[in-house]
């Protein structure tokens, strides 16, 4: 059994992402307190590495406005989750991972496919660990835009993956995780 674990240390201030609280959600307003959270890789009780990340859904507008109770309701809730490693990237950059077997802040289940199933039986969303690479920009965006995922810089995702490969993890392997909230 692996002793590797991922801990997301979420700053409570990350929920305060609107630069102007009176204005609606959007790219031009949802950048405050961006990437204040940490993704921490641990082996037993030893911290191996920590990477800044965005873990609160601040891309909660337009086609990504799917939350039920609050705009950022697709954010992974505090508590345990599983991470399925090195999943098919589809249109994402680099090696990505699927967040599974947990709930979002709205209380909806994120299943083994890193998706939710609606009352009508349709699957929606895809909760992932990925980077903020933009093909249009040819590099990382200035801010991380999360619709419920854990977003790292491209360099940090590559460094995390280097460590996971060093531990001989393969595509589909499962690592346990936990989201904890901290006062920041």
């Amino acid at each position: 059994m692996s002793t590797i674990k991922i801990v997301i240390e979420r700053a409570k201030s990350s929920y305060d992402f609107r630069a102007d609280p009176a204005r609606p959600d959007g790219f031009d307003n949802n950048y405050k307190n961006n990437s204040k959270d940490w993704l921490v890789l641990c082996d037993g009780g030893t911290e191996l590495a920590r990477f800044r990340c965005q873990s609160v859904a601040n891309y909660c507008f337009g086609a990504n406005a799917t939350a039920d109770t609050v705009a950022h309701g697709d954010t992974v809730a505090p508590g345990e989750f599983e991470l399925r490693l090195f999943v098919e990237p589809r249109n994402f950059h680099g090696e990505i991972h699927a967040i599974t077997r947990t709930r979002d802040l709205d209380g909806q289940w994120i299943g083994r496919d890193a998706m939710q199933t609606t009352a009508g039986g349709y699957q929606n969303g895809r909760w992932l660990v990925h980077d903020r690479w933009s093909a249009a920009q040819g590099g990382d965006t200035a801010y991380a835009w999360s619709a419920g995922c854990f977003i790292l810089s491209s360099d940090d995702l590559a460094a995390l993956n280097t460590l996971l490969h060093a531990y001989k993890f393969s595509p589909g392997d499962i690592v346990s995780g936990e989201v904890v909230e901290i006062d920041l």
Side-chain angles (χ1 to χ4, degrees):
M1 176 155 186
S2 174
T3 59
I4 295 294
K5 181 176 181 174
I6 301 284
V7 177
I8 301 295
E9 293 179 355
R10 178 179 296 142
K12 291 180 183 177
S13 61
S14 294
Y15 291 110
D16 181 21
F17 53 75
R18 282 187 181 168
D20 181 349
R23 290 184 39 224
D25 290 317
F27 285 119
D28 61 345
N29 197 35
N30 290 13
Y31 59 84
K32 183 179 170 187
N33 293 322
N34 196 271
S35 297
K36 288 184 70 172
D37 309 327
W38 291 101
L39 185 150
V40 184
L41 182 66
C42 301
D43 184 355
T46 303
E47 181 177 309
L48 300 175
R50 64 175 43 232
F51 307 100
R52 282 286 182 195
C53 75
Q54 176 70 24
S55 74
V56 172
N58 62 341
Y59 187 8
C60 50
F61 49 89
N64 288 300
T66 61
D68 292 330
T69 62
V70 292
H72 55 275
D74 284 334
T75 301
V76 174
E80 295 181 350
F81 64 90
E82 289 184 353
L83 201 63
R84 193 170 61 250
L85 302 178
F86 305 115
V87 297
E88 170 60 41
R90 296 187 195 169
N91 291 331
F92 288 93
H93 174 260
E95 295 178 295
I96 67 169
H97 313 286
I99 303 164
T100 66
R101 301 187 187 276
T102 193
R103 295 199 180 275
D104 68 13
L105 290 179
D106 285 333
Q108 296 170 316
W109 183 247
I110 301 166
R112 63 179 178 79
D113 293 323
M115 301 179 87
Q116 293 176 342
T117 304
T118 67
Y122 298 101
Q123 287 187 320
N124 66 2
R126 191 166 180 227
W127 281 256
L128 304 169
V129 175
H130 63 85
D131 62 19
R132 53 186 214 223
W133 176 266
S134 165
Q137 291 184 0
D140 282 0
T141 57
Y143 298 103
W145 299 106
S146 172
C149 301
F150 304 148
I151 314 295
L152 293 90
S153 73
S154 295
D155 288 344
D156 285 350
L157 180 60
L160 171 65
N161 289 336
T162 296
L163 289 166
L164 293 171
H165 283 300
Y167 273 82
K168 306 295 185 202
F169 284 109
S170 299
D173 286 348
I174 303 291
V175 170
S176 66
E178 182 179 15
V179 174
V180 297
E181 293 189 342
I182 55 176
D183 290 320
L184 275 182

